[in-house]
Every structure is written in structure tokens, then in C-alpha cells.
Amino acid sequence: MSRILIVDDERSIRFTLGEFLRKAGYEVETAEDAASALRILGERPFDVVITDIIMPRITGMELLYAIREAAPRVQVIIMTGEPTAETAAQAVRDGAFDYLFKPITKDGVLRTVANAAKIKALDDERERLAAANLEYQKGLERQVDMRTEELRGAEAALQKTIEGTIQATALIVESHDPYTAGHQQRVARLARAVAERLGWPGDRAAGLYMAGLIHDVGKIGIPAEVLSKPGRLSKNEINFIRTHADIGFNILRTIAFPWPIAEMVRQHHERLDGSGYPAGLKGPDILFEARILAVADTVEAMSGYRPYRPALGIGKALEEIRRGRGALFDPEAVDACAALFEERKFSFEDK
Ligand SMILES: [Fe+2]
């Protein structure tokens, strides 16, 4: 039910109009001048104010301006005793909803008040919806913030777990074979640098780096005497060492890494022409990650000292991968790797 405030210095008008509107279903209060109208408006909410224009002290027009300031959504209807069209029009220009000429007719007042009340109700509804919408949006934002926070926490915890797993795995094989320790780290760094040079997204390059850090984990299954034996190895010994690719896969395959790390490890000795091991995979059947690992592994192994031969240096190592470019090694990986060294963008000594 809409609430109406009638402001008029004439008691009879306040009374007659008030009774009439109450009977029409409105909640009505009255005020004898603008000052008490403003006081009442400050205390209780109203939808429509009907005010006389000529009153002692503060006029209806001044009251209109005061209401526009203090309660801009309240609809104001001006009543004027002398029908000067100019004043009424000015009132509407200044924000009054409409005007009524005295003597006011029942139909006229009912229609005008009903329209003003309807406009105010629509405005209230719009306001309510806007507030509800804002509240809903804030709620959504809070939920998104909370979920994001939770996800970040879970992601960080998962990242820690992955790194811990990788580190523990690397430590195990490094304690078994001292030559593997620095080798895995250097291969990992070079493989990541190659991937970055090829424009891989950071996350995929990170997965390759992780695989590099443990790519020789399968050597845990090979006796240390065989791994560090100086001089030529027998056919049997070579075949034995080659099992490290599958052993590594078996060690890692049940760990749910976000990258196919076990498969990268299994394939790091595969060669494009199918001459690699353990499966003799060809070209695109080999994971791109494993093709990069193959290049990085070869370059690192040749450039450094090994129990069975002296260090050959980067030059010889790059010659080797270039010789195998396209047949053994992925051409893109070879080119990127060679460029990294030749442009001095990478060195095994950097930290
Ligand atoms: Fe290996």
C-alpha cells in the first residue's frame, strides 16, 4: 500500500483529501506546513507527497526542491489554487511528478495519485533488483575468490609433492651412480632451454625439465660396477644397460604426474629411424619431449668426461647431433640446441 503525505495550510483540504485517499486504499498522513512535512519525511518513508503551492513561510515550490534533495525518489504532486499554468509547468520541469488545479476533482486526484504511486513502486522494484543483483554479484565474486584461493593452495601443494617426488627419485639414482648426478641436471636444463627456444609454453617445458631430472632413474637397476666400468663394454653389458629405459618407466608409471613423465623417460633413447631402444619407435611415434631429451642427453654425454673416455667438448657433441639430424635426431631439436650453444645462450656451467 502506497504512503501519501498531504501538505496544505488549509485544514479542510487536509481533512477532505486525506479521508478521500484513505477510502481509496492509501495510507495517508498530513502536515500543515512545509517544515513539519520535511520533519515527517525524515522520520518515515513516503511514496507520494501532495503539496499546496502557496503556503506561509516555505512555499510548495521550495518544499519540492527540498524533497528532491533529501528524498529524490519520492514523487511530488503540486496543487495550485490559482491555475497559473506557468508555475505548474515550472514545477514539473523542476522534478514534480504532476500538478492538480484547485478545486481538484475526485477523478483527477485519483488518477494522478495512482500514476505517481505506480511510478514510485516501479522505481522501488528497480532499486530492489539492482541491490539484489549487486548482492548476488558480490556473493559470486566472494565465491570465485574463495575457490581461486583454494585452487591456488591445492596447486601449490601438488607442485610441492611433484618436486619432492622428482627430487627423491633423482637422489636415489644419484647415490647409486655418481656420474648420473650432474648429468641428469644438465640434461634437464638443456632440454628445457631447447623447448623454450622452440616456443613451448612454460608448463610443458617444466614437465620436460622434470623428466630430464630423472630420465636415467632406471640405472638404479644396473650394478654400479657395470655403469662405471672403464673401457669397452661387452654386448651383454650394453644390453643390460639398455634396460634402464624400461626400468625407469616401471619405477615412474604409477605416479600421477601432470605430464607423461614415465613415457618420456622410457623413450629417451629412441631414435627417429627406429634404431633406438627399447621399442624401436619411429619419428612421430616418439614423444616430442623424448626427442628433445635424446638430443640433450647425447650432447651432455659427449661433451663431458665419462669413465670409458675423456671429454670430447661441445664442438664434437654438436657435430654428432648434426650428423644424426633427421635420421636419428629431431631436426627442430637439433637446430634449436646447436643455436643455443653457438649464440652463447646456454652453457652447462651456468647456474
Ligand atoms: Fe639414459
Side-chain angles (χ1 to χ4, degrees), residues 183 215-217 219 241 244-245 265 268-269 277 297:
H183 168 69
H215 72 276
D216 273 340
V217 63
K219 287 192 175 167
I241 287 181
H244 81 276
V265 166
H268 79 275
H269 286 288
Y277 63 88
D297 189 18

Side-chain angles (χ1 to χ4, degrees), residues 172-180 218-230 233 237 240-241 307-308:
I172 290 167
V173 59
E174 285 165 11
S175 67
H176 175 70
D177 175 21
Y179 292 101
T180 307
K219 287 192 175 167
I220 193 79
I222 317 294
E225 317 83 79
V226 178
L227 291 176
S228 56
K229 183 180 168 185
L233 296 169
E237 286 166 333
F240 196 11
I241 287 181
Y308 43 90

Side-chain angles (χ1 to χ4, degrees), residues 166 184-185 188-189 191-192 204-214:
I166 297 279
Q184 293 193 120
Q185 279 163 29
R189 281 182 46 236
R192 182 177 55 191
R204 193 176 175 193
L208 174 56
Y209 178 74
M210 298 287 177
L213 285 177
I214 53 174

Side-chain angles (χ1 to χ4, degrees), residues 272-309:
L272 290 191
D273 60 3
S275 65
Y277 63 88
L281 298 178
K282 282 186 178 174
D285 292 341
I286 308 167
L287 283 176
F288 203 170
E289 279 88 344
R291 285 181 260 155
I292 293 177
L293 278 179
V295 168
D297 189 18
T298 304
V299 169
E300 202 290 324
M302 286 195 69
S303 65
Y305 162 83
R306 283 296 174 278
Y308 43 90
R309 58 148 179 75

Side-chain angles (χ1 to χ4, degrees), residues 12-286:
S12 63
I13 292 193
R14 291 202 301 275
F15 182 79
T16 318
L17 186 54
E19 279 308 297
F20 176 66
L21 288 175
R22 272 187 202 102
K23 284 200 183 105
Y26 294 103
E27 253 181 67
V28 179
E29 288 191 44
T30 59
E32 59 186 5
D33 58 26
S36 43
L38 285 171
R39 184 177 47 73
I40 293 170
L41 281 167
E43 288 166 359
R44 296 181 283 282
F46 284 87
D47 300 301
V48 178
V49 172
I50 306 172
T51 179
D52 188 16
I53 210 159
I54 299 159
M55 294 184 291
R57 293 179 298 279
I58 307 174
T59 70
M61 284 300 280
E62 286 164 329
L63 177 61
L64 168 66
Y65 301 141
I67 292 173
R68 291 267 67 84
E69 277 293 306
R73 294 178 47 243
V74 173
Q75 299 294 347
V76 179
I77 297 166
I78 298 283
M79 289 183 292
T80 169
E82 332 154 12
T84 55
E86 188 40 45
T87 318
Q90 183 62 42
V92 171
R93 271 200 297 278
D94 288 348
F97 175 74
D98 206 345
Y99 47 81
L100 295 166
F101 288 134
K102 285 180 179 175
I104 53 181
T105 63
K106 287 185 172 181
D107 280 356
V109 77
L110 269 188
R111 194 174 53 240
T112 308
V113 168
N115 284 341
K118 191 189 283 174
I119 294 290
K120 174 62 163 52
L122 285 173
D123 193 39
D124 285 351
E125 181 63 4
R126 187 193 53 74
E127 192 85 343
R128 194 188 62 75
L129 284 175
N133 196 25
L134 190 70
E135 203 40 52
Y136 177 70
Q137 262 178 9
K138 275 189 192 155
L140 273 187
E141 276 165 23
R142 271 196 299 274
Q143 269 186 19
V144 169
D145 284 351
M146 264 165 54
R147 285 268 178 280
T148 310
E149 197 65 24
E150 278 172 22
L151 275 178
R152 280 215 189 97
E155 217 169 86
L158 179 63
Q159 191 60 31
K160 270 217 162 81
T161 307
I162 291 169
E163 283 167 12
T165 308
I166 297 279
Q167 212 167 12
T169 311
L171 276 178
I172 290 167
V173 59
E174 285 165 11
S175 67
H176 175 70
D177 175 21
Y179 292 101
T180 307
H183 168 69
Q184 293 193 120
Q185 279 163 29
R186 288 191 294 268
V187 168
R189 281 182 46 236
L190 176 55
R192 182 177 55 191
V194 169
E196 283 166 355
R197 178 151 188 121
L198 291 173
W200 284 21
D203 176 68
R204 193 176 175 193
L208 174 56
Y209 178 74
M210 298 287 177
L213 285 177
I214 53 174
H215 72 276
D216 273 340
V217 63
K219 287 192 175 167
I220 193 79
I222 317 294
E225 317 83 79
V226 178
L227 291 176
S228 56
K229 183 180 168 185
R232 286 188 71 85
L233 296 169
S234 72
K235 187 90 189 127
N236 273 344
E237 286 166 333
I238 289 172
N239 285 337
F240 196 11
I241 287 181
R242 287 183 167 187
T243 60
H244 81 276
D246 273 328
I247 296 173
F249 173 78
N250 284 324
I251 290 171
L252 299 170
R253 72 189 158 86
T254 53
I255 306 175
F257 290 115
W259 312 278
I261 285 189
E263 204 52 64
M264 297 180 208
V265 166
R266 171 148 75 175
Q267 296 179 12
H268 79 275
H269 286 288
E270 297 288 1
R271 296 294 179 256
L272 290 191
D273 60 3
S275 65
Y277 63 88
L281 298 178
K282 282 186 178 174
D285 292 341
I286 308 167

